[in-house]
Amino acid sequence: MAVMTLVGVNKRAHTWTVTQQGEKVAPSKKVSWIMARFLAQLIMVGVQTVGRAFGQTLRQEYQVTMAARRAAEEAGRDGTRAARAASSTGISLQEAQQILNIKNIDDIEAIRKHYEHLFKVNDKSSGGSFYLQSKVVRAKERIEMELDEKVCPDPTPSDENSSSSQDSQDSDSHPRT
Amino acid sequence: MTRDEALQILGLTGDATREEIVEAHRILMQRNHPDRGGSTWLAARINRAKDILLS
């Protein structure tokens, strides 16, 4: 394309010099005039071509970047939720379930029972380890966070269950305290 | 697991004797044993903490 334009320019420059300036211009001057014009146009065309190509590349680059960013945002929205929950409590949901020994996180009664038991046996005042107790607390927080996300109905602890678990815990911890 | 973490798990300080480590492990293991309503995860940590401190 550039070559064709150059030929056209050359032709036009030639005809122009012949018709407008004809015999008045000396042959050598005429040639240099044609050359200058030709060179100027050549540079113009070159700059235009390069500029157009550059602009196109920039536009394409920009579109690709925007598309990639949109895709990353879409994909990130789901993945970051779990990552955020894990980073705020320091443990993953799977780890939290293992700590509290919970198979199903919808079993709210089991979570409460296991949590209360583990919290009690690891209490510092009865010779437990503060580190392990914190782990238990954080595991419960992590699971609660997961339940909040799922928008579960409020747990309604039944009285006879809680009193029986209390009894079993007492009999567990008595000999050692 | 680092040595510091192991000490924290067993609720001990850096100058704990061998006997203290064994005793702390025994007590915590009794309480957190999976067969007695504890958790496998915590029991595993307690065991590992003892192994690290006694090695």
Side-chain angles (χ1 to χ4, degrees), chain A residues 95 98-99 101 117-118 121-122 126 128-129 131-132 135-136 172 176, chain B residues 5 8-9 11 28 30-32 36-42 45-46:
Chain A
E95 228 177 346
Q98 286 176 336
I99 291 170
N101 228 4
H117 173 70
L118 288 169
V121 297
N122 287 302
S126 61
S129 148
Y131 181 97
L132 293 178
K135 278 277 178 201
V136 170
D172 263 2
R176 264 163 263 114
Chain B
E5 218 178 338
Q8 278 185 327
I9 287 171
L28 289 175
Q30 273 181 348
R31 295 173 178 211
N32 287 290
R36 304 197 57 181
S39 100
T40 322
W41 194 92
L42 291 179
R45 301 282 280 192
I46 294 164

Side-chain angles (χ1 to χ4, degrees), chain A residues 35-131:
Chain A
M35 283 297 285
R37 239 191 106 78
F38 175 72
L39 271 175
Q41 298 234 346
L42 184 82
I43 289 164
M44 283 279 283
V45 169
V47 166
Q48 272 175 2
T49 314
V50 170
R52 218 176 292 132
F54 185 67
Q56 223 162 28
T57 319
L58 263 186
R59 248 196 317 278
Q60 277 174 358
E61 195 71 25
Y62 180 71
Q63 277 165 359
V64 166
T65 315
M66 288 308 281
R69 189 178 301 167
R70 265 198 304 277
E73 273 171 9
E74 293 276 314
R77 215 160 285 150
D78 293 328
T80 45
R81 195 182 57 73
R84 218 178 24 246
S87 68
S88 65
T89 50
I91 47 177
S92 68
L93 178 65
Q94 198 199 356
E95 228 177 346
Q97 280 180 264
Q98 286 176 336
I99 291 170
L100 290 185
N101 228 4
I102 304 257
K103 302 275 183 308
N104 175 17
I105 65 162
D106 292 325
D107 190 353
I108 291 158
E109 186 56 29
I111 294 171
R112 197 185 57 77
K113 256 168 95 173
H114 288 199
Y115 167 74
E116 279 178 6
H117 173 70
L118 288 169
F119 187 88
K120 206 169 174 180
V121 297
N122 287 302
D123 198 44
K124 186 85 182 154
S125 61
S126 61
S129 148
F130 181 70
Y131 181 97

Side-chain angles (χ1 to χ4, degrees), chain B residues 2-54:
Chain B
T2 62
R3 209 185 145 77
D4 275 349
E5 218 178 338
L7 286 169
Q8 278 185 327
I9 287 171
L10 295 184
L12 298 166
T13 48
D15 56 0
T17 62
R18 212 181 162 78
E19 286 70 37
E20 281 170 340
I21 293 167
V22 171
E23 180 62 9
H25 171 262
R26 195 182 62 78
I27 291 172
L28 289 175
M29 208 53 198
Q30 273 181 348
R31 295 173 178 211
N32 287 290
H33 201 281
D35 291 348
R36 304 197 57 181
S39 100
T40 322
W41 194 92
L42 291 179
R45 301 282 280 192
I46 294 164
N47 273 333
R48 214 152 137 234
K50 186 196 76 168
D51 290 344
I52 283 170
L53 293 178
L54 292 183

